[in-house]
Amino acid sequence: MRFPLIIILTAGLFLVFSCKKNRSSQPGKGVSYALNEQRKKTIDSIHYAIELDIPSGKNERINGKELLSFQLNSLDSSLVLDFSTDSSHVTSVQAKGKYIPFAFVNQHIVIEPSSLVKGYNEISIEFIAGDLSLNRNEEYLYTLFVPDRASTCFPLFDQPNLKATYALTLKTPENWEAVSNGSLKSKKSEKGRNIYQFQKTKPISSYLFAFAAGQFFKAVKTVGGREMTMYYRETDTVKVKQNRDEVFSLHTKALSWLESYTSVSYPFDKFDFVLIPSFQYGGMEHPGSVFYNESSLFLDENASVNKKLSRASVIAHESAHMWFGDLVTMDWFNDVWLKEVFANFMAAKIVHPSFPEINHRLRFLLAHYPAAYEVDRSAGTNPVLQELGNLKNAGTLYGAIIYMKAPVVMHHLELKIGEKLMQESLQEYLKTFSYSNARWDDLIGIIDKRTPQDISQWSSVWVKTPGMPTYDFVRKNGKMQISQQKDSVADRIWQQPLAIKWQNDKSYHDTAFTITDRQVKAFTVTPGTLTFPNYDGVSYGYFKMDSASKADFITHYNNAADTVRTNPVFRGAMLVNIWESFIHEDGPAPEKFVNDVFATLPKEENPLLVDYMLSNLQTVWWTFLEQEKRSFLQEKAEKALWGLLEKTKDKGIKTSYFRAFKNIALTPDGLQKLESLWNDRLVVKDLVLSEDDKISLAYELALKGNGDNKLIFDKQLENTKNPDRKAKLKFVIPALSKNVTERNAFFESLKKPENREKEAWVLEALSYLHHPMRAESAIPYLRPSLNMLQEIQLTGDIFFPTRWMHTTFAGHHSAEAAGIVRDFLRDNPVYPYYLRNKVLQATDLLDRAVRFERDEGFQK
Ligand SMILES: [Zn+2]
């Protein structure tokens, strides 16, 4: 097979010739598992010295130079560097001061062995940096290279198991700050430019290499002997002042805790963090230079306890990654869940001491189980450990199974082997694989040799197969027979603990055991015995409660005279059971569900439970409740929420009620309240509205009111002081237009990748474009949105495909919308497996809503 290649002999001189090489030896796009293995075997001791010249204009090109050095132990095959741009981005390639020939094949620079030596090699490359993952703005830029995006910027071996040291030099406009993984070695000013030189890093994986540069404010603080610098853009100095010390202190606490738990000192040279407006994730764990979404760290004055917990958790999560992920890294991205589960697992342990007033068992339950079930009960679910043939698909591995289910699995593992053995195993794991890579099975191996239990068998079900178990509780001949329903994998037993509370007359008794059989167990029960399965919220699955027990739980909700019912974990676990029951159409019907929520909310003062109930209420309200019934309940719902808002003394809960009210309000009186809150004519004691709240009020008024949108938005733009929020508001406004032609034009504009760059903005706009009240007019966007998914996977960040799908379909519950999805999947029989799953996950509630409506009889 012959095919033309462009060979560059000297800078500027291009020569096209034919190569006799077999095509199969040429790399395809991305990094295949085979290329990953071949490079891992032959390349070692990698160092990159990189220099980037960043101009002031965000569209001007960034020139780069790189000196790459490494040890090569074989000359059997060509050297393949990843550079996901096009050949025009490569200016020259040299070895030992001489230009050498290279080919540019499928976004790789390919160098023949004749230009290399066995042993130490140095290659210098001049290039134009690719923009795709540089997030360039007028006043700043930042990298986001996870999972395989470093190669979109500069040439390298872009795979996690080829750790390298990096020495970065950045030339920036004069008034720009710069931060990277390494400490600052020197800063010089030259001809109106800044030159930042950073120290060589410790060995890190390519997805962890990072820098940010631009107009940032800086705060430096030394806490507990550790100096940290925070870079941020927030202009509200009061807000900064309110948050600054707490943000530093949370980091210090997290790092100290981790040093003590792991018995490994902080493994990198320095610790800084950068707060970025509309950052794609909550945070990203670049060693020495963690990036955060500014709004997850700088909280509003009225932040709920949930928000404060989330902030502490994201800080603890990213800090934990310094050990779990950064010091010891997965060998291949299919094990990406492992670093995420450790980070979550550690974060849960770390935030406990900082929030003694919080019920952490309840928090763990509500933060993980419902979100994991949402995916695990869908037809598009996946196992925790997935297969990955090429790194270019690594982004599709991320989702609730990794972030929410895996921590539950890890918690089960810790229950199984005990905290001490867990900690010892993790310490050995970190020690053995420091500055290197490891797989899940490496950890299982370490644990297995310390315990007589069969951990591998357990792991093969929980980690390597998808889905969740369903348990039936059937009363027959004076016995309660508990059995595991047949599921998608034959003969699979989900080994796990199960605790049941029985209530007979007024007395309770408990049963706790480990499930080891499909016919779980049978218990003798007297008539009228109530059953509360999984009352401690530890077990994972759908536990089918009988109607009498469900009804009794609602009737005697949080009964002050009953210490079982006053236990918030008990209430949380039963609410989760009931939600699963609702979703599986085992009752209650939507209208009853809404009425139950309004019966129980006044008896609930736990902010986590209030938030959980309100979130379910809003889902049922917009997705499952028929229009007619919604109208019937409208006034009652608004009155109830407003009454609760006024009555509660807890500021966080007040905000939760405000947000739910804002979401549901539709009557003239409700809209009047929103407007009066928005223009400060109505002030509710202890309800503090942030700029973001005001903006969202403006959105709701534009969406639901009869007023002139232009007047609303002109005023809101005038009142919005923060430039980043102002820019976002301007972006979202057309999605809220009352004119469908303008909305269509906005949707059309999203077809251009450059208009999707600010992903958080796009998602906010989509949530209004597809709002349930606009769902009918948004139907024409559904098929094109599905058609765009593959391109979005290529151009967007890792979470974007999932979020694009979810936000698009969240507002839809019509048979027509479900039909569009079905047709799309039918028309694309060979659609990529991971993306098909994302579609099925995002449309699971839609399918269920359609089924609810069809199963009319059930609703009565
Ligand atoms: Zn993480």
Side-chain angles (χ1 to χ4, degrees):
M1 171 88 54
R2 295 158 72 93
F3 64 105
L5 286 174
I6 298 172
I7 291 288
I8 303 176
L9 285 176
T10 63
L13 174 63
F14 289 75
L15 184 66
V16 177
F17 85 134
S18 289
C19 176
K20 284 183 185 169
K21 275 230 156 235
N22 194 329
R23 185 190 273 273
S24 64
S25 70
Q26 296 296 339
K29 269 197 182 175
V31 177
S32 67
Y33 188 68
L35 175 61
N36 168 78
E37 289 295 281
Q38 185 265 331
R39 290 200 298 211
K40 177 70 194 167
K41 261 186 236 145
T42 52
I43 304 166
D44 199 6
S45 310
I46 306 163
H47 175 69
Y48 303 97
I50 300 167
E51 190 182 305
L52 295 171
D53 193 345
I54 301 169
S56 49
K58 76 168 200 165
N59 296 316
E60 290 173 58
R61 72 185 208 183
I62 296 176
N63 290 318
K65 281 187 216 162
E66 170 180 329
L67 179 68
L68 155 69
S69 59
F70 56 94
Q71 293 284 338
L72 189 64
N73 67 23
S74 160
L75 292 174
D76 289 346
S77 45
S78 313
L79 184 79
V80 177
L81 281 160
D82 313 320
F83 194 28
S84 305
T85 52
D86 58 64
S87 60
S88 72
H89 279 254
V90 189
T91 315
S92 73
V93 180
Q94 299 182 43
K96 290 187 203 133
K98 287 196 182 115
Y99 292 109
I100 56 168
F102 68 92
F104 195 88
V105 186
N106 288 324
Q107 306 189 323
H108 299 281
I109 295 173
V110 180
I111 298 168
E112 291 306 311
S114 54
S115 302
L116 303 161
V117 294
K118 233 181 178 177
Y120 182 77
N121 284 270
E122 267 187 14
I123 293 175
S124 49
I125 303 173
E126 289 184 20
F127 60 95
I128 301 162
D131 272 347
L132 188 64
S133 299
L134 289 182
N135 302 284
R136 293 178 76 177
N137 292 270
E138 287 303 339
E139 296 182 345
Y140 63 97
L141 59 75
Y142 62 93
T143 58
L144 193 49
F145 288 160
V146 63
D148 61 338
R149 300 277 167 94
S151 55
T152 65
C153 179
F154 63 95
L156 79 164
F157 306 112
D158 202 0
Q159 63 188 62
N161 63 8
L162 283 181
K163 291 199 173 184
T165 52
Y166 294 78
L168 176 69
T169 303
L170 287 180
K171 295 185 177 170
T172 74
E174 201 172 16
N175 52 350
W176 282 27
E177 298 286 344
V179 54
S180 183
N181 308 93
S183 317
L184 189 63
K185 191 172 168 187
S186 67
K187 179 190 170 183
K188 278 185 286 191
S189 286
E190 222 172 65
K191 296 178 200 153
R193 312 267 298 147
N194 282 344
I195 303 174
Y196 290 94
Q197 241 192 318
F198 297 96
Q199 301 276 11
K200 183 168 119 175
T201 65
K202 290 260 170 31
I204 57 174
S205 295
S206 52
Y207 76 95
L208 292 168
F209 174 62
F211 57 87
Q215 293 170 22
F216 285 98
F217 299 109
K218 250 165 84 169
V220 186
K221 198 164 179 182
T222 304
V223 193
R226 211 187 298 274
E227 188 190 280
M228 299 180 188
T229 304
M230 168 170 78
Y231 296 81
Y232 61 95
R233 285 189 48 84
E234 179 60 61
T235 46
D236 180 344
T237 49
V238 177
K239 193 171 190 178
V240 174
K241 204 165 160 242
Q242 269 165 9
N243 287 283
R244 187 181 48 209
D245 289 350
E246 183 62 8
V247 166
F248 278 111
S249 144
L250 286 169
H251 276 105
T252 310
K253 279 185 197 155
L255 293 173
S256 306
W257 188 96
L258 283 153
E259 287 187 325
S260 136
Y261 181 90
T262 61
S263 98
V264 176
S265 302
Y266 173 67
F268 300 97
D269 302 319
K270 56 110 183 177
F271 190 95
D272 294 336
F273 48 98
V274 187
L275 275 49
I276 295 165
S278 295
F279 186 62
Q280 290 88 331
Y281 322 142
M284 180 61 211
E285 70 264 24
H286 312 117
S289 178
V290 180
F291 293 177
Y292 290 104
N293 188 348
E294 194 159 65
S295 63
S296 13
L297 263 56
F298 283 169
L299 302 185
D300 293 327
E301 201 188 331
N302 57 340
S304 65
V305 67
N306 234 348
K307 281 252 176 247
K308 287 181 186 160
L309 270 171
S310 307
R311 169 171 72 181
S313 300
V314 73
I315 288 174
H317 178 108
E318 304 310 335
S319 303
H321 271 315
M322 299 300 125
W323 286 260
F324 299 98
D326 296 1
L327 176 64
V328 179
T329 312
M330 69 256 160
D331 191 71
W332 180 240
F333 252 95
N334 68 331
D335 259 330
V336 64
W337 70 278
L338 197 51
K339 75 179 177 71
E340 294 313 322
V341 74
F342 282 140
N344 266 4
F345 181 71
M346 295 299 150
K349 288 180 183 286
I350 293 166
V351 297
H352 290 193
S354 310
F355 290 86
E357 75 277 27
I358 295 294
N359 186 322
H360 296 291
R361 185 59 232 159
L362 178 66
R363 173 176 149 61
F364 186 77
L365 170 70
L366 295 178
H368 295 89
Y369 291 68
Y373 293 159
E374 200 178 316
V375 175
D376 239 358
R377 70 168 103 87
S378 81
T381 190
N382 53 268
V384 170
L385 181 60
Q386 303 169 74
E387 280 178 22
L388 178 67
N390 191 307
L391 271 187
K392 70 180 163 59
N393 296 322
T396 60
L397 300 175
Y398 291 82
I401 295 301
I402 283 184
Y403 283 99
M404 306 304 172
K405 183 182 183 180
V408 174
V409 175
M410 192 57 79
H411 178 60
H412 282 188
L413 177 60
E414 192 182 46
L415 285 176
K416 228 173 145 53
I417 64 173
E419 283 184 28
K420 188 167 169 281
L421 203 148
M422 186 75 173
Q423 185 177 0
E424 285 166 6
S425 304
L426 288 176
Q427 288 180 350
E428 183 181 335
Y429 168 83
L430 287 174
K431 225 170 152 184
T432 313
F433 300 103
S434 273
Y435 301 105
S436 174
N437 303 77
R439 295 165 196 261
W440 165 244
D441 286 337
D442 291 323
L443 177 63
I444 289 297
I446 289 175
I447 298 172
D448 242 349
K449 70 175 192 221
R450 289 165 181 264
T451 166
Q453 302 185 62
D454 189 349
I455 300 296
S456 305
Q457 169 66 26
W458 167 88
S459 149
S460 67
V461 170
W462 283 95
V463 175
K464 297 178 181 174
T465 63
M468 61 193 271
T470 295
Y471 298 97
D472 285 322
F473 288 71
V474 178
R475 220 178 270 259
K476 210 174 169 185
N477 305 330
K479 290 213 171 225
M480 176 68 80
Q481 174 66 50
I482 308 169
S483 57
Q484 180 198 312
Q485 271 186 13
K486 267 211 166 95
D487 70 9
S488 53
V489 179
D491 299 329
R492 173 171 59 171
I493 311 281
W494 299 83
Q495 241 189 60
Q496 60 173 331
L498 177 60
I500 302 168
K501 204 169 268 297
W502 314 90
Q503 189 185 14
N504 205 332
D505 296 324
K506 285 275 166 257
S507 65
Y508 290 96
H509 66 275
D510 299 348
T511 315
F513 53 93
T514 302
I515 298 173
T516 52
D517 193 1
R518 184 177 296 280
Q519 291 307 319
V520 176
K521 246 181 176 57
F523 296 92
T524 307
V525 284
T526 51
T529 302
L530 301 172
T531 315
F532 301 108
N534 193 23
Y535 72 92
D536 58 358
V538 169
S539 316
Y540 186 84
Y542 168 34
F543 302 88
K544 277 176 116 167
M545 283 169 76
D546 60 81
S547 327
S549 304
K550 282 188 280 193
D552 189 89
F553 170 73
I554 298 292
T555 310
H556 301 287
Y557 190 85
N558 204 3
N559 177 5
D562 183 334
T563 53
V564 170
R565 309 294 176 105
T566 53
N567 181 342
V569 174
F570 175 83
R571 296 202 298 282
M574 292 311 114
L575 287 172
V576 172
N577 284 350
I578 290 173
W579 178 248
E580 281 310 300
S581 172
F582 170 79
I583 287 291
H584 285 89
E585 282 192 66
D586 291 327
E591 199 179 351
K592 170 92 167 56
F593 188 95
V594 169
N595 284 324
D596 285 353
V597 172
F598 284 120
T600 47
L601 269 177
K603 300 179 187 169
E604 189 53 78
E605 281 170 3
N606 183 300
L608 297 171
L609 288 169
V610 169
D611 279 351
Y612 179 62
M613 287 154 106
L614 287 175
S615 146
N616 288 342
L617 170 71
Q618 290 167 62
T619 305
V620 175
W621 188 262
W622 290 112
T623 307
F624 290 96
L625 206 55
E626 284 171 33
Q627 166 97 47
E628 202 181 295
K629 288 176 179 154
R630 193 160 63 227
S631 306
F632 178 74
L633 288 169
Q634 185 71 42
E635 213 177 305
K636 177 187 166 180
E638 288 182 20
K639 273 209 175 105
L641 288 173
W642 190 263
L644 289 161
L645 182 160
E646 285 190 313
K647 203 171 137 236
T648 183
K649 292 197 169 53
D650 184 298
K651 280 187 189 176
I653 296 181
K654 208 176 263 294
T655 304
S656 297
Y657 280 131
F658 157 70
R659 294 197 174 137
F661 178 82
K662 180 187 69 183
N663 176 275
I664 278 175
L666 205 57
T667 65
D669 176 63
L671 294 181
Q672 185 57 51
K673 285 198 171 83
L674 295 190
E675 189 173 354
S676 305
L677 284 170
W678 176 65
N679 59 27
D680 296 323
R681 274 202 284 266
L682 171 63
V683 176
V684 177
K685 190 173 174 282
D686 288 338
L687 177 67
V688 187
L689 297 181
S690 65
E691 198 164 270
D692 275 328
D693 286 325
K694 286 294 179 84
I695 291 173
S696 72
L697 276 168
Y699 290 155
E700 294 290 328
L701 289 170
L703 176 80
K704 299 170 175 172
N706 295 318
D708 183 350
N709 281 10
K710 190 168 180 312
L711 290 178
I712 297 172
F713 287 131
D714 282 351
K715 185 174 169 203
Q716 188 57 52
L717 280 167
E718 193 187 312
N719 290 347
T720 305
K721 300 294 171 236
N722 177 292
D724 295 307
R725 275 197 282 275
K726 200 173 192 140
K728 181 177 178 182
L729 174 59
K730 278 186 185 158
F731 179 89
V732 176
I733 285 171
L736 276 145
S737 172
K738 288 198 159 70
N739 179 336
V740 72
T741 317
E742 275 175 43
R743 297 206 298 273
N744 291 346
F746 176 81
F747 179 74
E748 275 307 304
S749 75
L750 295 181
K751 291 183 179 169
K752 289 196 183 121
E754 63 266 31
N755 293 328
R756 299 192 302 260
E757 266 170 22
K758 292 277 193 182
E759 296 177 350
W761 299 9
V762 173
L763 294 172
E764 191 150 306
L766 282 184
S767 70
Y768 290 103
L769 202 64
H770 292 277
H771 190 279
M773 293 177 64
R774 297 257 169 95
E776 223 174 288
S777 68
I779 287 275
Y781 313 145
L782 295 180
R783 179 70 190 230
S785 299
L786 286 159
N787 291 342
M788 285 156 77
L789 186 58
Q790 270 184 289
E791 189 196 295
I792 278 171
Q793 191 218 324
L794 295 175
T795 55
D797 275 297
I798 50 177
F799 297 137
F800 197 49
T802 301
R803 289 176 179 168
W804 169 267
M805 278 289 100
H806 270 273
T807 319
T808 294
F809 284 99
H812 292 270
H813 51 88
S814 66
E816 199 181 354
I820 289 170
V821 180
R822 233 181 3 259
D823 291 349
F824 173 79
L825 293 175
R826 189 202 55 213
D827 298 346
N828 294 281
V830 288
Y831 201 63
Y833 165 77
Y834 296 116
L835 289 182
R836 188 189 166 80
N837 279 349
K838 300 279 178 214
V839 173
L840 290 170
Q841 289 169 18
T843 55
D844 184 64
L845 275 193
L846 165 64
D847 278 340
R848 289 176 190 276
V850 172
R851 234 177 293 153
F852 263 78
E853 223 153 288
R854 205 180 44 220
D855 301 349
E856 205 41 53
F858 163 76
Q859 299 221 8
K860 296 279 152 60

